[in-house]
Amino acid sequence: MKAQPAARPVSTSRGRHRLGAFVFLAPGLTYLLVLVLVPLALVLSFTFFQRGRFGGVIYEFTTENFARLVDPLYLGVVGTSLKIAALATLIALVLGYPTAYLIAQLPRKWKTAALIAIVLPFWTNFIIRMYAWIILLNGPGLVNSGFELFGLGPYELLYNQGAIVVGLLYSYLPLMVLPLYAAIEKLDPQLREASANLGASGFTTFRRVTLPLTLPGVLTGSMFVFVPSFANFVIPEMLGGGKTLMVGNLIRNEFLKARDWPFGSTLAMALVAVLLLLLLAQAWAARRA
């Protein structure tokens, strides 16, 4: 009788599997550790220290930086940032949903061209695009020239909160359209046909079938627009002329102008905490949708 080969130990197989998984995960884990976790830990440590008389950091423990967060001056900046980011997100949703819906209804060969057109602005440098908007919105710019043809204007279109919303909307609208398109594309068309066959109007079908089933895409797109809008500091500086102070500009000023690194770090960590809570809320709502 021929002897059977000995079975490979289960522990050896699991060890090789874990080693292989670690080899593949090592680059990503190293990236997260060196470029995300370590800088965040460094910034977090600064929140408990004091600012030097002429800038810098005095390594003496304090919680005063957290008490300054509830100062009405800084709460007002947060309120302005929330208002502008929420307005940009709402307009992006109103414009992005029908755009994504129309793209999803296109023939297959035209969908790719439409999606490329949506992401095409990302192929151009961000600063160049903002300078283009300055040229369009300034006093003798193209927009005011168009108004003058109809006997209107000129209007002050630049260096105000409206210009900031336009810049945010232009920059992040594709981040609203793409998740919405993915959600609408996955929607089974037979559900809408069944709703129509049961006598529902087009609006009722949209309200009772299409919108609820695409709600995860709505939530994801809204977060993709709101989060970078809330923390943006380049667009308020370029299109807002520095007249509107948002959270991103406030953090930049604390680090580079006031040289108050401890309080700048506290503001940055508070912003990270708020955005993290928003992302967790979005994930929870998407699971329940």
Side-chain angles (χ1 to χ4, degrees), residues 22-101:
F22 177 77
V23 170
F24 282 105
L25 291 176
L29 292 175
T30 304
Y31 173 85
L32 287 176
L33 178 65
V34 175
L35 299 180
V36 178
L37 296 181
V38 171
L40 276 179
L42 186 62
V43 173
L44 180 63
S45 67
F46 282 171
T47 62
F48 298 101
F49 297 134
Q50 302 177 22
R51 175 183 182 271
R53 184 177 180 182
F54 302 103
V57 180
I58 297 177
Y59 296 97
E60 295 180 2
F61 181 81
T62 181
T63 58
E64 182 183 352
N65 296 313
F66 293 96
R68 291 175 63 187
L69 287 177
V70 295
D71 187 299
L73 174 65
Y74 304 123
L75 291 180
V77 175
V78 173
T80 301
S81 303
L82 284 173
K83 181 184 70 175
I84 292 176
L87 184 58
T89 304
L90 179 62
I91 298 175
L93 178 61
V94 172
L95 297 178
Y97 200 104
T99 304
Y101 190 89

Side-chain angles (χ1 to χ4, degrees), residues 198-213:
L198 291 173
S201 64
F203 177 73
T204 302
T205 300
F206 173 77
R207 185 171 58 85
R208 303 291 296 272
V209 178
T210 306
L211 184 59
L213 292 177

Side-chain angles (χ1 to χ4, degrees), residues 5-283:
R8 180 178 297 176
V10 177
S11 58
T12 304
S13 178
R14 289 180 178 174
R16 290 180 178 176
H17 177 73
R18 290 175 180 172
L19 179 61
F22 177 77
V23 170
F24 282 105
L25 291 176
L29 292 175
T30 304
Y31 173 85
L32 287 176
L33 178 65
V34 175
L35 299 180
V36 178
L37 296 181
V38 171
L40 276 179
L42 186 62
V43 173
L44 180 63
S45 67
F46 282 171
T47 62
F48 298 101
F49 297 134
Q50 302 177 22
R51 175 183 182 271
R53 184 177 180 182
F54 302 103
V57 180
I58 297 177
Y59 296 97
E60 295 180 2
F61 181 81
T62 181
T63 58
E64 182 183 352
N65 296 313
F66 293 96
R68 291 175 63 187
L69 287 177
V70 295
D71 187 299
L73 174 65
Y74 304 123
L75 291 180
V77 175
V78 173
T80 301
S81 303
L82 284 173
K83 181 184 70 175
I84 292 176
L87 184 58
T89 304
L90 179 62
I91 298 175
L93 178 61
V94 172
L95 297 178
Y97 200 104
T99 304
Y101 190 89
L102 290 175
I103 292 176
Q105 309 308 314
L106 289 175
R108 184 176 299 275
K109 64 179 180 180
W110 289 109
K111 287 182 181 177
T112 303
L115 292 174
I116 291 176
I118 291 294
V119 300
L120 197 60
F122 284 105
W123 297 359
T124 307
N125 184 275
F126 178 79
I127 301 298
I128 293 176
R129 282 183 281 150
M130 290 302 104
Y131 274 118
W133 273 108
I134 291 175
I135 295 173
L136 288 172
L137 297 178
N138 65 11
L142 187 62
V143 177
N144 265 324
S145 299
F147 284 141
E148 290 177 357
L149 291 177
F150 298 96
L152 303 172
Y155 299 107
E156 293 292 335
L157 302 176
L158 197 60
Y159 303 137
N160 52 43
Q161 293 188 6
I164 297 174
V165 173
V166 170
L168 294 172
L169 185 63
Y170 170 76
S171 300
Y172 302 125
L173 182 60
L175 301 182
M176 175 68 80
V177 173
L178 295 179
L180 285 172
Y181 166 77
I184 296 172
E185 181 70 7
K186 291 190 299 184
L187 187 63
D188 189 351
Q190 292 183 348
L191 296 174
R192 284 174 288 181
E193 293 175 4
S195 176
N197 291 337
L198 291 173
S201 64
F203 177 73
T204 302
T205 300
F206 173 77
R207 185 171 58 85
R208 303 291 296 272
V209 178
T210 306
L211 184 59
L213 292 177
T214 57
L215 195 55
V218 173
L219 295 172
T220 302
S222 298
M223 290 306 300
F224 281 180
V225 175
F226 181 84
V227 170
S229 298
F230 183 72
N232 197 287
F233 66 93
V234 176
I235 294 175
E237 194 71 28
M238 295 185 70
L239 299 186
K243 298 178 181 177
T244 301
L245 192 61
M246 295 181 66
V247 172
N249 305 90
L250 180 61
I251 294 174
R252 189 274 312 271
N253 292 345
E254 291 296 327
F255 275 103
L256 301 182
K257 293 184 178 179
R259 294 179 58 79
D260 192 346
W261 286 30
F263 186 58
S265 300
T266 307
L267 286 170
M269 293 308 301
L271 178 62
V272 171
V274 170
L275 298 182
L276 186 60
L277 287 175
L278 289 175
L279 290 174
L280 291 175
Q282 181 268 332

